[in-house]
Amino acid sequence: DNVLSAVFVRDSMAPYRDIMKDKDTGKLFNRGNAKVTRTGKVIHYTRDPNNLDKIIKETYKEDIDLEGVTATIVLTGFPTGEIGVWVDGLLMRCVEAHHKGPQVIMPDGACTFMGVRCLKLRADRKTVLSGGADGCVYAWDVRQTVDDQPQYFKNIGDEIEIDGYDQDMSGRTKQQSQERKNAGTALKGATKGTTSHSSNVLGRGAVKFKRLPGSWKLTSPYKE
């Protein structure tokens, strides 16, 4: 498919993410060996040797300078209205972002839709704006980091055991999940735009790409 726009996003998870192939479907997905927090803490995973999709322990191993990260992922806008997520030159995921809009005639005479017309990385380097043929502008959180967990990881070497049967979409530990339950927040399953792999695989290495609340609606002469 043609690409109408593209943007490069800093990828702090690059050294800790492997590209795998699902043995049943043949689809590619990411598997993480660690997670990186907002302050640059690297928390490594220990996997269950009998089931590599499950994490049994997390260990605080090191700190990295997030400002010094040079690795990138690429986001591309397609005429169909989807945003593609590329890692190491491979299309790992497509997220439904905008309506494809009306067909238009290109200078070479070809007909195409104008779906995602523009992608722009904001100055904070944490947010990408997408503009579509549907007249909408959306903001996306593209940080490849997770919230810090000072209650678990204060000093290098700190570790926690994890019940692999109690992890949600973001790979939260049993302790964290229980805290959410106590607060009355129900755990949620996969949502539209995510991969179809198990929650442990998705939450432990998938490229983070989440639409933020709110949007801007522009006046457009086009109608669906």
Side-chain angles (χ1 to χ4, degrees):
D1 208 342
N2 293 326
V3 171
L4 298 179
S5 55
V7 66
F8 291 83
V9 175
R10 177 186 290 170
D11 184 14
S12 56
M13 272 287 295
Y16 314 106
R17 184 191 292 120
D18 296 324
I19 296 177
M20 314 291 292
K21 179 181 286 188
D22 188 290
K23 61 182 179 181
D24 297 321
T25 66
K27 292 182 178 180
L28 298 177
F29 66 95
N30 296 120
R31 173 175 285 160
N33 302 310
K35 61 184 176 184
V36 181
T37 73
R38 304 281 192 244
T39 57
K41 294 179 179 179
V42 179
I43 313 299
H44 282 249
Y45 302 140
T46 300
R47 295 184 179 273
D48 185 339
N50 298 316
N51 187 346
L52 296 180
D53 285 349
K54 292 182 179 177
I55 308 299
I56 58 176
K57 184 168 65 175
E58 292 184 346
T59 306
Y60 176 14
K61 288 285 190 178
E62 59 183 328
D63 294 290
I64 62 172
D65 177 13
L66 295 179
E67 292 300 316
V69 172
T70 58
T72 60
I73 56 176
V74 182
L75 304 177
T76 58
F78 293 121
T80 53
E82 296 177 318
I83 294 177
V85 180
W86 301 74
V87 179
D88 293 338
L90 298 173
L91 180 60
M92 300 300 300
R93 191 173 161 202
C94 281
V95 179
E96 294 184 15
H98 296 272
H99 296 300
K100 59 186 179 181
Q103 276 193 316
V104 297
I105 300 177
M106 304 297 287
D108 62 359
C111 292
T112 185
F113 296 101
M114 294 300 288
V116 180
R117 303 196 60 178
C118 178
L119 292 173
K120 174 68 175 178
L121 180 65
R122 302 186 75 172
D124 62 9
R125 293 191 290 185
K126 302 174 183 177
T127 313
V128 164
L129 298 179
S130 67
D134 52 8
C136 292
V137 177
Y138 295 122
W140 305 81
D141 184 351
V142 294
R143 293 175 295 177
Q144 302 305 303
T145 54
V146 299
D147 291 336
D148 280 278
Q149 301 167 276
Q151 68 272 43
Y152 305 128
F153 305 111
K154 296 180 180 178
N155 304 299
I156 292 179
D158 287 349
E159 60 184 35
I160 57 174
E161 303 290 333
I162 298 175
D163 182 344
Y165 293 96
D166 191 11
Q167 298 176 14
D168 70 5
M169 282 293 296
S170 62
R172 290 182 174 84
T173 64
K174 180 178 180 181
Q175 297 99 311
Q176 294 170 296
S177 295
Q178 188 60 50
E179 290 170 2
R180 293 185 70 199
K181 290 176 183 177
N182 292 342
T185 304
L187 299 180
K188 299 181 179 179
T191 56
K192 186 176 183 180
T194 64
T195 68
S196 59
H197 300 290
S198 71
S199 60
N200 290 329
V201 173
L202 179 63
R204 300 285 182 168
V207 174
K208 301 180 186 303
F209 185 68
K210 178 182 179 181
R211 201 175 95 179
L212 297 171
S215 64
W216 298 269
K217 182 68 175 179
L218 306 179
T219 300
S220 171
Y222 303 120
K223 295 183 179 179
E224 288 291 329

